[in-house]
Amino acid sequence: MKFINTPFDGVILIEPDVFRDERGFFLETFHAAKYHEGGVDARFVQDNHSRSARGTIRGLHAQRRHPQGKLVRALTGSIFDVVVDIRRGSPNYLRWLSFELSGDNFRQLYIPPGYAHGLCVTSDFAELEYKCTDFYDPHDELRIAWNDPQIGVHCRRRIATHRGSRRRSTCCP
């Protein structure tokens, strides 16, 4: 298992060992002692599972009073995953990093509290699971527009998405 540090403090890309044979594959998706040794020193309290269609954008989200750390992975499909440093005073404040997570590459991304997180589905569908270090609180949610000019997430194509009854133009790599 590889734990790869990124330019953002505490954000870690994880490449688990995948054991394959003619029957299929096996991997550990979480092992507290190994993850702690790899730099993921978190206590998870909530697991989430989502399924989204191509072009769906989720985020950028964070929580103000109860920030969440997240361990994110794609079970099926692929996503363009974005992390934005929202820690005031950080040398990377409002900078972003992106990663491809997919059911084929088995990568996981640990995002500690203090970062906003968002994603765009790049396959027909994607299913995600993510572990959180604090509970979701809709009254504490910070939403940041994907196209906020101060952040400047790069997009290659635009699509239309819906959330509730609102229609908006969004982007996906």
Side-chain angles (χ1 to χ4, degrees), residues 4 6 28 42 44 60 62 71 79 88 107 135 155 160 169 172:
I4 303 165
T6 70
E28 286 182 342
F44 297 107
L60 302 162
L71 179 61
I79 62 170
R88 293 189 189 276
R107 289 176 167 176
F135 299 104
C155 301
S169 173
C172 205

Side-chain angles (χ1 to χ4, degrees), residues 34-162:
K34 290 178 183 178
Y35 278 59
H36 176 75
E37 188 176 309
V40 179
D41 190 19
R43 184 179 146 270
F44 297 107
V45 298
Q46 180 176 327
D47 284 4
N48 300 315
H49 183 142
S50 70
R51 176 180 164 94
S52 301
R54 180 184 297 277
T56 298
I57 297 212
R58 295 190 180 272
L60 302 162
H61 297 134
Q63 290 188 172
R64 299 170 199 265
R65 292 181 306 280
H66 303 282
Q68 293 177 303
K70 295 178 181 176
L71 179 61
V72 182
R73 72 186 187 106
L75 300 172
T76 63
S78 61
I79 62 170
F80 173 73
D81 207 52
V82 175
V83 178
V84 179
D85 189 343
I86 57 171
R87 301 169 303 149
R88 293 189 189 276
S90 165
N92 292 313
Y93 182 63
L94 298 184
R95 291 189 180 150
W96 62 278
L97 296 174
S98 66
F99 305 87
E100 181 193 9
L101 304 181
S102 76
D104 292 330
N105 70 21
F106 298 98
R107 289 176 167 176
Q108 299 175 345
L109 187 63
Y110 177 66
I111 307 153
Y115 294 89
H117 174 249
L119 61 94
C120 181
V121 177
T122 58
S123 55
D124 288 340
F125 287 92
E127 287 196 45
L128 309 175
E129 281 189 341
Y130 50 102
K131 301 174 110 26
C132 299
T133 61
D134 208 337
F135 299 104
Y136 172 67
D137 180 354
H139 304 291
D140 192 26
E141 188 174 33
L142 170 65
R143 296 180 186 172
I144 303 169
W146 66 267
N147 60 350
D148 185 308
Q150 285 186 289
I151 298 170
V153 174
H154 298 294
C155 301
R156 289 184 282 202
R157 62 188 169 101
R158 295 193 185 278
I159 57 168
T161 63
H162 302 275

